[in-house]
Amino acid sequence: MSIGAFSLSLTVKDLQASKEFYEKLGFSALGGDEENGWLILKNEDCVIGLFQGMFEKNMLTFNPGWNSNAEEVNLFKDVRELQEELKAKGIKFITEADTSTEGPAHFVIEDPDGNPILVDQHR
């Protein structure tokens, strides 16, 4: 099962300070909206998102329909289909994608240790 491009979404106290720190580690901006409190940074194959005031905890994030450069992948499994497959396997959901819609949607699950996992489809 492929659930999309992986990144780590970090909750940050100060977006600018975090951006400057990760730039010193070799990361550069891939996308985002600083005015609205978020940035996506990349260093080779490693992608992290910095989010100020948006989430309570750091999260593992997967993006169906994207590769690690935030480029569209034409063949991918829709987030709603992934949701149904995971439900059939007994995974419990924190939030669910609306199955009556198409296009962008997301769901959140937690691993056995309480780490949130966001599956966020942008198209």
Side-chain angles (χ1 to χ4, degrees):
M1 170 187 297
S2 174
I3 58 174
F6 172 75
S7 63
L8 181 60
S9 295
L10 301 173
T11 60
V12 300
K13 294 176 187 171
D14 182 330
L15 184 64
Q16 190 60 38
S18 294
K19 174 186 174 189
E20 290 171 8
F21 174 82
Y22 283 101
E23 286 175 339
K24 291 175 184 175
L25 296 179
F27 284 84
S28 58
L30 177 65
D33 185 345
E34 287 186 66
E35 289 182 17
N36 285 307
W38 65 280
L39 281 172
I40 307 300
L41 304 175
K42 185 169 183 183
N43 181 340
E44 295 185 10
D45 291 334
C46 186
V47 179
I48 58 174
L50 306 177
F51 297 90
Q52 183 176 334
M54 298 177 90
F55 306 118
E56 290 182 30
K57 296 170 115 180
N58 296 333
M59 291 188 284
L60 303 169
T61 303
F62 297 91
N63 299 109
W66 273 9
N67 65 20
S68 63
N69 290 315
E71 298 166 331
E72 292 184 0
V73 175
N74 289 324
L75 295 176
F76 69 97
K77 193 170 288 191
D78 186 85
V79 70
R80 294 155 201 79
E81 187 177 346
L82 289 168
Q83 179 174 282
E84 293 307 311
E85 288 181 16
L86 293 173
K87 279 185 174 184
K89 293 179 179 183
I91 301 291
K92 297 194 190 291
F93 286 73
I94 306 303
T95 62
E96 296 186 26
D98 182 348
T99 58
S100 69
T101 63
E102 294 181 0
H106 70 276
F107 63 76
V108 177
I109 58 178
E110 284 183 340
D111 73 10
D113 296 302
N115 297 305
I117 300 170
L118 170 66
V119 179
D120 191 15
Q121 179 176 305
H122 296 281
R123 60 187 192 115

